[in-house]
Amino acid sequence: MGKGIHTKEVEQLFDAIQTLESREECFAFFEDVCTVNEILSIAQRLQVAKMLREHHTYTEVAEQTGASTATISRVNRSLVYGNDGYDMVFERMKEQEE
């Protein structure tokens, strides 16, 4: 994980997130905690990661998500060298769909 992320404050944030029980609760919490642009940026990164895992080109990803090539590259770096967080979430989402 990135430097400095393992703090009491971040642990408290993650504990708070884990208490959320529905999509509506997520909307309420994140709309209070984050700006609209922060939420949209995180959602965009998730979509970029999904498309990259589906083997879309950077051009396709940029056109469909509106993400910059810098953002796409940053997400791709996380997919290649990160902590497998995206893949863990994608696998769980796939299991829930089935």
Side-chain angles (χ1 to χ4, degrees):
M1 286 200 172
K3 28 182 176 166
I5 193 170
H6 292 280
T7 66
K8 288 181 184 178
E9 294 82 6
V10 174
E11 286 180 9
Q12 185 177 20
L13 171 64
F14 292 164
D15 289 345
I17 291 168
Q18 288 181 308
T19 69
L20 301 173
E21 296 179 359
S22 69
R23 184 173 288 161
E24 285 309 312
E25 286 185 1
C26 289
F27 274 107
F29 179 73
F30 281 96
E31 285 181 27
D32 284 350
V33 173
C34 300
T35 66
V36 171
N37 284 338
E38 289 169 335
I39 296 168
L40 294 175
S41 291
I42 293 168
Q44 181 186 62
R45 288 183 200 135
L46 186 65
Q47 185 62 28
V48 167
K50 183 177 182 288
M51 290 184 71
L52 289 172
R53 277 295 182 242
E54 293 170 348
H55 307 289
H56 290 270
T57 66
Y58 273 36
T59 302
E60 292 170 332
V61 173
E63 288 174 355
Q64 291 184 33
T65 66
S68 68
T69 54
T71 296
I72 297 168
S73 179
R74 189 176 318 116
V75 169
N76 190 55
R77 204 167 33 252
S78 291
L79 289 170
V80 175
Y81 301 109
N83 295 302
D84 298 322
Y86 283 115
D87 291 328
M88 173 184 61
V89 168
F90 292 146
E91 183 62 32
R92 290 181 183 169
M93 291 172 72
K94 182 180 177 183
E95 289 171 4
Q96 286 180 346
E97 289 176 3
E98 296 174 350

PDB file of all heavy atoms in Angstrom, residues 12-50:
ATOM      1  N   GLN A  12     -10.168   4.052  10.929  1.00  0.00           N
ATOM      2  CA  GLN A  12     -11.502   4.474  11.341  1.00  0.00           C
ATOM      3  C   GLN A  12     -12.403   4.674  10.118  1.00  0.00           C
ATOM      4  O   GLN A  12     -13.573   4.290  10.143  1.00  0.00           O
ATOM      5  CB  GLN A  12     -11.421   5.763  12.158  1.00  0.00           C
ATOM      6  CG  GLN A  12     -12.744   6.201  12.713  1.00  0.00           C
ATOM      7  CD  GLN A  12     -12.628   7.446  13.581  1.00  0.00           C
ATOM      8  OE1 GLN A  12     -11.659   8.202  13.492  1.00  0.00           O
ATOM      9  NE2 GLN A  12     -13.614   7.660  14.422  1.00  0.00           N
ATOM     10  N   LEU A  13     -11.855   5.254   9.054  1.00  0.00           N
ATOM     11  CA  LEU A  13     -12.625   5.423   7.820  1.00  0.00           C
ATOM     12  C   LEU A  13     -13.058   4.067   7.279  1.00  0.00           C
ATOM     13  O   LEU A  13     -14.226   3.869   6.945  1.00  0.00           O
ATOM     14  CB  LEU A  13     -11.799   6.173   6.772  1.00  0.00           C
ATOM     15  CG  LEU A  13     -12.403   6.220   5.368  1.00  0.00           C
ATOM     16  CD1 LEU A  13     -13.720   6.993   5.366  1.00  0.00           C
ATOM     17  CD2 LEU A  13     -11.407   6.809   4.390  1.00  0.00           C
ATOM     18  N   PHE A  14     -12.127   3.120   7.193  1.00  0.00           N
ATOM     19  CA  PHE A  14     -12.463   1.798   6.670  1.00  0.00           C
ATOM     20  C   PHE A  14     -13.463   1.079   7.572  1.00  0.00           C
ATOM     21  O   PHE A  14     -14.366   0.392   7.082  1.00  0.00           O
ATOM     22  CB  PHE A  14     -11.207   0.957   6.471  1.00  0.00           C
ATOM     23  CG  PHE A  14     -10.301   1.461   5.363  1.00  0.00           C
ATOM     24  CD1 PHE A  14      -9.001   1.017   5.280  1.00  0.00           C
ATOM     25  CD2 PHE A  14     -10.743   2.370   4.418  1.00  0.00           C
ATOM     26  CE1 PHE A  14      -8.158   1.457   4.271  1.00  0.00           C
ATOM     27  CE2 PHE A  14      -9.913   2.825   3.400  1.00  0.00           C
ATOM     28  CZ  PHE A  14      -8.620   2.362   3.329  1.00  0.00           C
ATOM     29  N   ASP A  15     -13.315   1.241   8.882  1.00  0.00           N
ATOM     30  CA  ASP A  15     -14.296   0.668   9.809  1.00  0.00           C
ATOM     31  C   ASP A  15     -15.680   1.262   9.550  1.00  0.00           C
ATOM     32  O   ASP A  15     -16.684   0.543   9.559  1.00  0.00           O
ATOM     33  CB  ASP A  15     -13.888   0.918  11.265  1.00  0.00           C
ATOM     34  CG  ASP A  15     -12.684   0.080  11.695  1.00  0.00           C
ATOM     35  OD1 ASP A  15     -12.337  -0.893  10.998  1.00  0.00           O
ATOM     36  OD2 ASP A  15     -12.090   0.429  12.738  1.00  0.00           O
ATOM     37  N   ALA A  16     -15.731   2.558   9.311  1.00  0.00           N
ATOM     38  CA  ALA A  16     -17.008   3.225   9.026  1.00  0.00           C
ATOM     39  C   ALA A  16     -17.618   2.680   7.740  1.00  0.00           C
ATOM     40  O   ALA A  16     -18.818   2.380   7.691  1.00  0.00           O
ATOM     41  CB  ALA A  16     -16.811   4.735   8.928  1.00  0.00           C
ATOM     42  N   ILE A  17     -16.795   2.522   6.710  1.00  0.00           N
ATOM     43  CA  ILE A  17     -17.286   2.006   5.432  1.00  0.00           C
ATOM     44  C   ILE A  17     -17.846   0.597   5.607  1.00  0.00           C
ATOM     45  O   ILE A  17     -18.879   0.255   5.031  1.00  0.00           O
ATOM     46  CB  ILE A  17     -16.177   2.049   4.366  1.00  0.00           C
ATOM     47  CG1 ILE A  17     -15.860   3.511   4.004  1.00  0.00           C
ATOM     48  CG2 ILE A  17     -16.574   1.262   3.116  1.00  0.00           C
ATOM     49  CD1 ILE A  17     -14.610   3.701   3.181  1.00  0.00           C
ATOM     50  N   GLN A  18     -17.189  -0.209   6.424  1.00  0.00           N
ATOM     51  CA  GLN A  18     -17.647  -1.581   6.624  1.00  0.00           C
ATOM     52  C   GLN A  18     -18.984  -1.664   7.350  1.00  0.00           C
ATOM     53  O   GLN A  18     -19.638  -2.706   7.309  1.00  0.00           O
ATOM     54  CB  GLN A  18     -16.589  -2.391   7.378  1.00  0.00           C
ATOM     55  CG  GLN A  18     -15.378  -2.689   6.512  1.00  0.00           C
ATOM     56  CD  GLN A  18     -14.354  -3.525   7.264  1.00  0.00           C
ATOM     57  OE1 GLN A  18     -13.943  -3.192   8.368  1.00  0.00           O
ATOM     58  NE2 GLN A  18     -13.945  -4.617   6.658  1.00  0.00           N
ATOM     59  N   THR A  19     -19.423  -0.580   7.974  1.00  0.00           N
ATOM     60  CA  THR A  19     -20.732  -0.599   8.633  1.00  0.00           C
ATOM     61  C   THR A  19     -21.873  -0.340   7.661  1.00  0.00           C
ATOM     62  O   THR A  19     -23.035  -0.570   8.010  1.00  0.00           O
ATOM     63  CB  THR A  19     -20.826   0.457   9.766  1.00  0.00           C
ATOM     64  OG1 THR A  19     -20.832   1.769   9.202  1.00  0.00           O
ATOM     65  CG2 THR A  19     -19.699   0.290  10.772  1.00  0.00           C
ATOM     66  N   LEU A  20     -21.571   0.129   6.463  1.00  0.00           N
ATOM     67  CA  LEU A  20     -22.612   0.462   5.494  1.00  0.00           C
ATOM     68  C   LEU A  20     -23.296  -0.817   5.018  1.00  0.00           C
ATOM     69  O   LEU A  20     -22.640  -1.795   4.679  1.00  0.00           O
ATOM     70  CB  LEU A  20     -22.024   1.237   4.320  1.00  0.00           C
ATOM     71  CG  LEU A  20     -21.334   2.548   4.710  1.00  0.00           C
ATOM     72  CD1 LEU A  20     -20.626   3.151   3.512  1.00  0.00           C
ATOM     73  CD2 LEU A  20     -22.326   3.522   5.318  1.00  0.00           C
ATOM     74  N   GLU A  21     -24.625  -0.811   5.002  1.00  0.00           N
ATOM     75  CA  GLU A  21     -25.386  -2.024   4.721  1.00  0.00           C
ATOM     76  C   GLU A  21     -26.143  -2.008   3.403  1.00  0.00           C
ATOM     77  O   GLU A  21     -26.701  -3.019   3.009  1.00  0.00           O
ATOM     78  CB  GLU A  21     -26.367  -2.281   5.871  1.00  0.00           C
ATOM     79  CG  GLU A  21     -25.679  -2.558   7.183  1.00  0.00           C
ATOM     80  CD  GLU A  21     -26.650  -2.786   8.324  1.00  0.00           C
ATOM     81  OE1 GLU A  21     -27.881  -2.701   8.103  1.00  0.00           O
ATOM     82  OE2 GLU A  21     -26.174  -3.052   9.444  1.00  0.00           O
ATOM     83  N   SER A  22     -26.183  -0.876   2.724  1.00  0.00           N
ATOM     84  CA  SER A  22     -26.933  -0.817   1.474  1.00  0.00           C
ATOM     85  C   SER A  22     -26.318   0.230   0.558  1.00  0.00           C
ATOM     86  O   SER A  22     -25.525   1.071   0.976  1.00  0.00           O
ATOM     87  CB  SER A  22     -28.401  -0.449   1.745  1.00  0.00           C
ATOM     88  OG  SER A  22     -28.477   0.903   2.189  1.00  0.00           O
ATOM     89  N   ARG A  23     -26.721   0.165  -0.692  1.00  0.00           N
ATOM     90  CA  ARG A  23     -26.264   1.156  -1.667  1.00  0.00           C
ATOM     91  C   ARG A  23     -26.712   2.555  -1.248  1.00  0.00           C
ATOM     92  O   ARG A  23     -25.954   3.519  -1.370  1.00  0.00           O
ATOM     93  CB  ARG A  23     -26.799   0.796  -3.049  1.00  0.00           C
ATOM     94  CG  ARG A  23     -26.276   1.744  -4.126  1.00  0.00           C
ATOM     95  CD  ARG A  23     -26.664   1.291  -5.505  1.00  0.00           C
ATOM     96  NE  ARG A  23     -25.874   0.106  -5.825  1.00  0.00           N
ATOM     97  CZ  ARG A  23     -26.186  -0.756  -6.781  1.00  0.00           C
ATOM     98  NH1 ARG A  23     -27.270  -0.582  -7.494  1.00  0.00           N
ATOM     99  NH2 ARG A  23     -25.431  -1.792  -7.027  1.00  0.00           N
ATOM    100  N   GLU A  24     -27.929   2.670  -0.735  1.00  0.00           N
ATOM    101  CA  GLU A  24     -28.425   3.985  -0.301  1.00  0.00           C
ATOM    102  C   GLU A  24     -27.589   4.531   0.856  1.00  0.00           C
ATOM    103  O   GLU A  24     -27.310   5.732   0.912  1.00  0.00           O
ATOM    104  CB  GLU A  24     -29.905   3.900   0.084  1.00  0.00           C
ATOM    105  CG  GLU A  24     -30.829   3.794  -1.111  1.00  0.00           C
ATOM    106  CD  GLU A  24     -30.593   4.865  -2.175  1.00  0.00           C
ATOM    107  OE1 GLU A  24     -30.495   6.058  -1.827  1.00  0.00           O
ATOM    108  OE2 GLU A  24     -30.492   4.503  -3.361  1.00  0.00           O
ATOM    109  N   GLU A  25     -27.194   3.670   1.779  1.00  0.00           N
ATOM    110  CA  GLU A  25     -26.316   4.116   2.867  1.00  0.00           C
ATOM    111  C   GLU A  25     -24.967   4.562   2.312  1.00  0.00           C
ATOM    112  O   GLU A  25     -24.378   5.534   2.793  1.00  0.00           O
ATOM    113  CB  GLU A  25     -26.118   2.999   3.893  1.00  0.00           C
ATOM    114  CG  GLU A  25     -27.336   2.768   4.758  1.00  0.00           C
ATOM    115  CD  GLU A  25     -27.092   1.736   5.849  1.00  0.00           C
ATOM    116  OE1 GLU A  25     -25.968   1.192   5.958  1.00  0.00           O
ATOM    117  OE2 GLU A  25     -28.056   1.466   6.601  1.00  0.00           O
ATOM    118  N   CYS A  26     -24.481   3.867   1.295  1.00  0.00           N
ATOM    119  CA  CYS A  26     -23.224   4.269   0.652  1.00  0.00           C
ATOM    120  C   CYS A  26     -23.366   5.646   0.025  1.00  0.00           C
ATOM    121  O   CYS A  26     -22.479   6.505   0.180  1.00  0.00           O
ATOM    122  CB  CYS A  26     -22.806   3.254  -0.407  1.00  0.00           C
ATOM    123  SG  CYS A  26     -22.234   1.683   0.269  1.00  0.00           S
ATOM    124  N   PHE A  27     -24.459   5.869  -0.688  1.00  0.00           N
ATOM    125  CA  PHE A  27     -24.693   7.194  -1.274  1.00  0.00           C
ATOM    126  C   PHE A  27     -24.698   8.268  -0.187  1.00  0.00           C
ATOM    127  O   PHE A  27     -24.040   9.305  -0.325  1.00  0.00           O
ATOM    128  CB  PHE A  27     -26.024   7.234  -2.041  1.00  0.00           C
ATOM    129  CG  PHE A  27     -25.938   6.769  -3.461  1.00  0.00           C
ATOM    130  CD1 PHE A  27     -26.455   5.543  -3.826  1.00  0.00           C
ATOM    131  CD2 PHE A  27     -25.350   7.559  -4.442  1.00  0.00           C
ATOM    132  CE1 PHE A  27     -26.388   5.097  -5.143  1.00  0.00           C
ATOM    133  CE2 PHE A  27     -25.278   7.137  -5.759  1.00  0.00           C
ATOM    134  CZ  PHE A  27     -25.802   5.893  -6.113  1.00  0.00           C
ATOM    135  N   ALA A  28     -25.427   8.031   0.884  1.00  0.00           N
ATOM    136  CA  ALA A  28     -25.535   9.029   1.957  1.00  0.00           C
ATOM    137  C   ALA A  28     -24.170   9.321   2.576  1.00  0.00           C
ATOM    138  O   ALA A  28     -23.792  10.491   2.757  1.00  0.00           O
ATOM    139  CB  ALA A  28     -26.516   8.544   3.032  1.00  0.00           C
ATOM    140  N   PHE A  29     -23.424   8.283   2.895  1.00  0.00           N
ATOM    141  CA  PHE A  29     -22.121   8.465   3.534  1.00  0.00           C
ATOM    142  C   PHE A  29     -21.133   9.152   2.600  1.00  0.00           C
ATOM    143  O   PHE A  29     -20.514  10.154   2.971  1.00  0.00           O
ATOM    144  CB  PHE A  29     -21.564   7.111   3.990  1.00  0.00           C
ATOM    145  CG  PHE A  29     -20.213   7.217   4.633  1.00  0.00           C
ATOM    146  CD1 PHE A  29     -20.080   7.744   5.912  1.00  0.00           C
ATOM    147  CD2 PHE A  29     -19.073   6.799   3.970  1.00  0.00           C
ATOM    148  CE1 PHE A  29     -18.828   7.857   6.513  1.00  0.00           C
ATOM    149  CE2 PHE A  29     -17.822   6.898   4.560  1.00  0.00           C
ATOM    150  CZ  PHE A  29     -17.701   7.425   5.828  1.00  0.00           C
ATOM    151  N   PHE A  30     -20.983   8.619   1.393  1.00  0.00           N
ATOM    152  CA  PHE A  30     -19.979   9.176   0.495  1.00  0.00           C
ATOM    153  C   PHE A  30     -20.323  10.583   0.019  1.00  0.00           C
ATOM    154  O   PHE A  30     -19.424  11.395  -0.199  1.00  0.00           O
ATOM    155  CB  PHE A  30     -19.701   8.228  -0.676  1.00  0.00           C
ATOM    156  CG  PHE A  30     -18.795   7.091  -0.289  1.00  0.00           C
ATOM    157  CD1 PHE A  30     -19.316   5.865   0.084  1.00  0.00           C
ATOM    158  CD2 PHE A  30     -17.423   7.260  -0.263  1.00  0.00           C
ATOM    159  CE1 PHE A  30     -18.489   4.828   0.465  1.00  0.00           C
ATOM    160  CE2 PHE A  30     -16.580   6.227   0.120  1.00  0.00           C
ATOM    161  CZ  PHE A  30     -17.117   5.006   0.483  1.00  0.00           C
ATOM    162  N   GLU A  31     -21.590  10.888  -0.118  1.00  0.00           N
ATOM    163  CA  GLU A  31     -21.970  12.257  -0.486  1.00  0.00           C
ATOM    164  C   GLU A  31     -21.626  13.235   0.630  1.00  0.00           C
ATOM    165  O   GLU A  31     -21.346  14.403   0.370  1.00  0.00           O
ATOM    166  CB  GLU A  31     -23.451  12.331  -0.846  1.00  0.00           C
ATOM    167  CG  GLU A  31     -23.751  11.739  -2.207  1.00  0.00           C
ATOM    168  CD  GLU A  31     -25.218  11.832  -2.585  1.00  0.00           C
ATOM    169  OE1 GLU A  31     -25.923  12.740  -2.100  1.00  0.00           O
ATOM    170  OE2 GLU A  31     -25.658  10.978  -3.374  1.00  0.00           O
ATOM    171  N   ASP A  32     -21.646  12.769   1.883  1.00  0.00           N
ATOM    172  CA  ASP A  32     -21.241  13.641   3.000  1.00  0.00           C
ATOM    173  C   ASP A  32     -19.730  13.740   3.121  1.00  0.00           C
ATOM    174  O   ASP A  32     -19.201  14.797   3.454  1.00  0.00           O
ATOM    175  CB  ASP A  32     -21.805  13.110   4.326  1.00  0.00           C
ATOM    176  CG  ASP A  32     -23.284  13.396   4.504  1.00  0.00           C
ATOM    177  OD1 ASP A  32     -23.844  14.168   3.699  1.00  0.00           O
ATOM    178  OD2 ASP A  32     -23.871  12.853   5.459  1.00  0.00           O
ATOM    179  N   VAL A  33     -19.027  12.642   2.861  1.00  0.00           N
ATOM    180  CA  VAL A  33     -17.581  12.587   3.094  1.00  0.00           C
ATOM    181  C   VAL A  33     -16.774  13.138   1.922  1.00  0.00           C
ATOM    182  O   VAL A  33     -15.738  13.770   2.128  1.00  0.00           O
ATOM    183  CB  VAL A  33     -17.147  11.133   3.404  1.00  0.00           C
ATOM    184  CG1 VAL A  33     -15.645  10.993   3.476  1.00  0.00           C
ATOM    185  CG2 VAL A  33     -17.782  10.678   4.710  1.00  0.00           C
ATOM    186  N   CYS A  34     -17.231  12.890   0.715  1.00  0.00           N
ATOM    187  CA  CYS A  34     -16.467  13.252  -0.487  1.00  0.00           C
ATOM    188  C   CYS A  34     -17.191  14.323  -1.295  1.00  0.00           C
ATOM    189  O   CYS A  34     -18.403  14.474  -1.186  1.00  0.00           O
ATOM    190  CB  CYS A  34     -16.295  12.026  -1.390  1.00  0.00           C
ATOM    191  SG  CYS A  34     -15.436  10.647  -0.636  1.00  0.00           S
ATOM    192  N   THR A  35     -16.414  15.000  -2.128  1.00  0.00           N
ATOM    193  CA  THR A  35     -17.038  15.883  -3.113  1.00  0.00           C
ATOM    194  C   THR A  35     -17.579  15.009  -4.241  1.00  0.00           C
ATOM    195  O   THR A  35     -17.169  13.851  -4.404  1.00  0.00           O
ATOM    196  CB  THR A  35     -16.031  16.885  -3.704  1.00  0.00           C
ATOM    197  OG1 THR A  35     -15.050  16.160  -4.468  1.00  0.00           O
ATOM    198  CG2 THR A  35     -15.354  17.707  -2.623  1.00  0.00           C
ATOM    199  N   VAL A  36     -18.472  15.564  -5.028  1.00  0.00           N
ATOM    200  CA  VAL A  36     -19.011  14.838  -6.177  1.00  0.00           C
ATOM    201  C   VAL A  36     -17.863  14.432  -7.100  1.00  0.00           C
ATOM    202  O   VAL A  36     -17.808  13.293  -7.572  1.00  0.00           O
ATOM    203  CB  VAL A  36     -20.059  15.695  -6.923  1.00  0.00           C
ATOM    204  CG1 VAL A  36     -20.450  15.046  -8.241  1.00  0.00           C
ATOM    205  CG2 VAL A  36     -21.286  15.919  -6.049  1.00  0.00           C
ATOM    206  N   ASN A  37     -16.919  15.342  -7.336  1.00  0.00           N
ATOM    207  CA  ASN A  37     -15.808  15.032  -8.237  1.00  0.00           C
ATOM    208  C   ASN A  37     -14.928  13.908  -7.697  1.00  0.00           C
ATOM    209  O   ASN A  37     -14.415  13.090  -8.471  1.00  0.00           O
ATOM    210  CB  ASN A  37     -14.965  16.274  -8.522  1.00  0.00           C
ATOM    211  CG  ASN A  37     -15.652  17.203  -9.489  1.00  0.00           C
ATOM    212  OD1 ASN A  37     -16.517  16.788 -10.254  1.00  0.00           O
ATOM    213  ND2 ASN A  37     -15.277  18.470  -9.467  1.00  0.00           N
ATOM    214  N   GLU A  38     -14.738  13.831  -6.381  1.00  0.00           N
ATOM    215  CA  GLU A  38     -13.950  12.734  -5.807  1.00  0.00           C
ATOM    216  C   GLU A  38     -14.637  11.389  -6.031  1.00  0.00           C
ATOM    217  O   GLU A  38     -13.990  10.415  -6.411  1.00  0.00           O
ATOM    218  CB  GLU A  38     -13.722  12.974  -4.311  1.00  0.00           C
ATOM    219  CG  GLU A  38     -12.755  14.105  -4.031  1.00  0.00           C
ATOM    220  CD  GLU A  38     -12.727  14.539  -2.573  1.00  0.00           C
ATOM    221  OE1 GLU A  38     -13.730  14.343  -1.850  1.00  0.00           O
ATOM    222  OE2 GLU A  38     -11.697  15.088  -2.161  1.00  0.00           O
ATOM    223  N   ILE A  39     -15.931  11.356  -5.807  1.00  0.00           N
ATOM    224  CA  ILE A  39     -16.686  10.118  -6.016  1.00  0.00           C
ATOM    225  C   ILE A  39     -16.633   9.711  -7.489  1.00  0.00           C
ATOM    226  O   ILE A  39     -16.387   8.546  -7.812  1.00  0.00           O
ATOM    227  CB  ILE A  39     -18.147  10.270  -5.548  1.00  0.00           C
ATOM    228  CG1 ILE A  39     -18.196  10.510  -4.046  1.00  0.00           C
ATOM    229  CG2 ILE A  39     -18.972   9.038  -5.937  1.00  0.00           C
ATOM    230  CD1 ILE A  39     -19.547  10.956  -3.531  1.00  0.00           C
ATOM    231  N   LEU A  40     -16.849  10.680  -8.372  1.00  0.00           N
ATOM    232  CA  LEU A  40     -16.825  10.380  -9.802  1.00  0.00           C
ATOM    233  C   LEU A  40     -15.441   9.926 -10.254  1.00  0.00           C
ATOM    234  O   LEU A  40     -15.325   9.037 -11.110  1.00  0.00           O
ATOM    235  CB  LEU A  40     -17.285  11.599 -10.612  1.00  0.00           C
ATOM    236  CG  LEU A  40     -18.746  11.998 -10.420  1.00  0.00           C
ATOM    237  CD1 LEU A  40     -19.056  13.284 -11.183  1.00  0.00           C
ATOM    238  CD2 LEU A  40     -19.692  10.880 -10.833  1.00  0.00           C
ATOM    239  N   SER A  41     -14.388  10.487  -9.684  1.00  0.00           N
ATOM    240  CA  SER A  41     -13.019  10.080 -10.029  1.00  0.00           C
ATOM    241  C   SER A  41     -12.744   8.645  -9.614  1.00  0.00           C
ATOM    242  O   SER A  41     -12.138   7.863 -10.361  1.00  0.00           O
ATOM    243  CB  SER A  41     -11.993  11.007  -9.368  1.00  0.00           C
ATOM    244  OG  SER A  41     -12.051  12.281  -9.933  1.00  0.00           O
ATOM    245  N   ILE A  42     -13.182   8.277  -8.423  1.00  0.00           N
ATOM    246  CA  ILE A  42     -12.994   6.901  -7.955  1.00  0.00           C
ATOM    247  C   ILE A  42     -13.788   5.941  -8.834  1.00  0.00           C
ATOM    248  O   ILE A  42     -13.284   4.886  -9.246  1.00  0.00           O
ATOM    249  CB  ILE A  42     -13.400   6.767  -6.473  1.00  0.00           C
ATOM    250  CG1 ILE A  42     -12.442   7.566  -5.590  1.00  0.00           C
ATOM    251  CG2 ILE A  42     -13.433   5.293  -6.058  1.00  0.00           C
ATOM    252  CD1 ILE A  42     -12.912   7.743  -4.160  1.00  0.00           C
ATOM    253  N   ALA A  43     -15.023   6.307  -9.155  1.00  0.00           N
ATOM    254  CA  ALA A  43     -15.859   5.464 -10.018  1.00  0.00           C
ATOM    255  C   ALA A  43     -15.223   5.325 -11.403  1.00  0.00           C
ATOM    256  O   ALA A  43     -15.232   4.234 -11.992  1.00  0.00           O
ATOM    257  CB  ALA A  43     -17.265   6.054 -10.125  1.00  0.00           C
ATOM    258  N   GLN A  44     -14.648   6.407 -11.905  1.00  0.00           N
ATOM    259  CA  GLN A  44     -13.992   6.371 -13.205  1.00  0.00           C
ATOM    260  C   GLN A  44     -12.789   5.422 -13.178  1.00  0.00           C
ATOM    261  O   GLN A  44     -12.601   4.628 -14.091  1.00  0.00           O
ATOM    262  CB  GLN A  44     -13.534   7.775 -13.613  1.00  0.00           C
ATOM    263  CG  GLN A  44     -12.871   7.840 -14.971  1.00  0.00           C
ATOM    264  CD  GLN A  44     -12.319   9.213 -15.253  1.00  0.00           C
ATOM    265  OE1 GLN A  44     -11.438   9.688 -14.545  1.00  0.00           O
ATOM    266  NE2 GLN A  44     -12.862   9.865 -16.287  1.00  0.00           N
ATOM    267  N   ARG A  45     -11.992   5.478 -12.113  1.00  0.00           N
ATOM    268  CA  ARG A  45     -10.833   4.586 -12.000  1.00  0.00           C
ATOM    269  C   ARG A  45     -11.262   3.125 -11.984  1.00  0.00           C
ATOM    270  O   ARG A  45     -10.609   2.268 -12.593  1.00  0.00           O
ATOM    271  CB  ARG A  45     -10.029   4.908 -10.747  1.00  0.00           C
ATOM    272  CG  ARG A  45      -9.280   6.199 -10.854  1.00  0.00           C
ATOM    273  CD  ARG A  45      -8.438   6.448  -9.621  1.00  0.00           C
ATOM    274  NE  ARG A  45      -8.134   7.864  -9.561  1.00  0.00           N
ATOM    275  CZ  ARG A  45      -8.209   8.598  -8.468  1.00  0.00           C
ATOM    276  NH1 ARG A  45      -8.563   8.059  -7.324  1.00  0.00           N
ATOM    277  NH2 ARG A  45      -7.922   9.875  -8.513  1.00  0.00           N
ATOM    278  N   LEU A  46     -12.353   2.838 -11.289  1.00  0.00           N
ATOM    279  CA  LEU A  46     -12.859   1.466 -11.261  1.00  0.00           C
ATOM    280  C   LEU A  46     -13.263   1.018 -12.660  1.00  0.00           C
ATOM    281  O   LEU A  46     -12.945  -0.099 -13.079  1.00  0.00           O
ATOM    282  CB  LEU A  46     -14.039   1.356 -10.293  1.00  0.00           C
ATOM    283  CG  LEU A  46     -14.568  -0.043 -10.047  1.00  0.00           C
ATOM    284  CD1 LEU A  46     -13.523  -0.918  -9.354  1.00  0.00           C
ATOM    285  CD2 LEU A  46     -15.839   0.017  -9.206  1.00  0.00           C
ATOM    286  N   GLN A  47     -13.933   1.883 -13.398  1.00  0.00           N
ATOM    287  CA  GLN A  47     -14.346   1.547 -14.762  1.00  0.00           C
ATOM    288  C   GLN A  47     -13.131   1.377 -15.669  1.00  0.00           C
ATOM    289  O   GLN A  47     -13.090   0.471 -16.501  1.00  0.00           O
ATOM    290  CB  GLN A  47     -15.281   2.635 -15.318  1.00  0.00           C
ATOM    291  CG  GLN A  47     -15.848   2.305 -16.680  1.00  0.00           C
ATOM    292  CD  GLN A  47     -16.712   1.057 -16.684  1.00  0.00           C
ATOM    293  OE1 GLN A  47     -17.315   0.697 -15.682  1.00  0.00           O
ATOM    294  NE2 GLN A  47     -16.774   0.374 -17.807  1.00  0.00           N
ATOM    295  N   VAL A  48     -12.120   2.239 -15.504  1.00  0.00           N
ATOM    296  CA  VAL A  48     -10.885   2.114 -16.283  1.00  0.00           C
ATOM    297  C   VAL A  48     -10.243   0.758 -16.008  1.00  0.00           C
ATOM    298  O   VAL A  48      -9.853   0.035 -16.934  1.00  0.00           O
ATOM    299  CB  VAL A  48      -9.906   3.269 -15.952  1.00  0.00           C
ATOM    300  CG1 VAL A  48      -8.508   2.986 -16.487  1.00  0.00           C
ATOM    301  CG2 VAL A  48     -10.437   4.584 -16.513  1.00  0.00           C
ATOM    302  N   ALA A  49     -10.137   0.382 -14.744  1.00  0.00           N
ATOM    303  CA  ALA A  49      -9.534  -0.898 -14.380  1.00  0.00           C
ATOM    304  C   ALA A  49     -10.316  -2.054 -14.992  1.00  0.00           C
ATOM    305  O   ALA A  49      -9.727  -3.007 -15.527  1.00  0.00           O
ATOM    306  CB  ALA A  49      -9.471  -1.040 -12.863  1.00  0.00           C
ATOM    307  N   LYS A  50     -11.617  -1.981 -14.928  1.00  0.00           N
ATOM    308  CA  LYS A  50     -12.466  -3.036 -15.495  1.00  0.00           C
ATOM    309  C   LYS A  50     -12.208  -3.175 -16.994  1.00  0.00           C
ATOM    310  O   LYS A  50     -12.031  -4.289 -17.505  1.00  0.00           O
ATOM    311  CB  LYS A  50     -13.936  -2.719 -15.231  1.00  0.00           C
ATOM    312  CG  LYS A  50     -14.908  -3.779 -15.713  1.00  0.00           C
ATOM    313  CD  LYS A  50     -16.328  -3.384 -15.312  1.00  0.00           C
ATOM    314  CE  LYS A  50     -17.353  -4.425 -15.709  1.00  0.00           C
ATOM    315  NZ  LYS A  50     -17.582  -4.472 -17.148  1.00  0.00           N
TER     316      LYS A  50
END
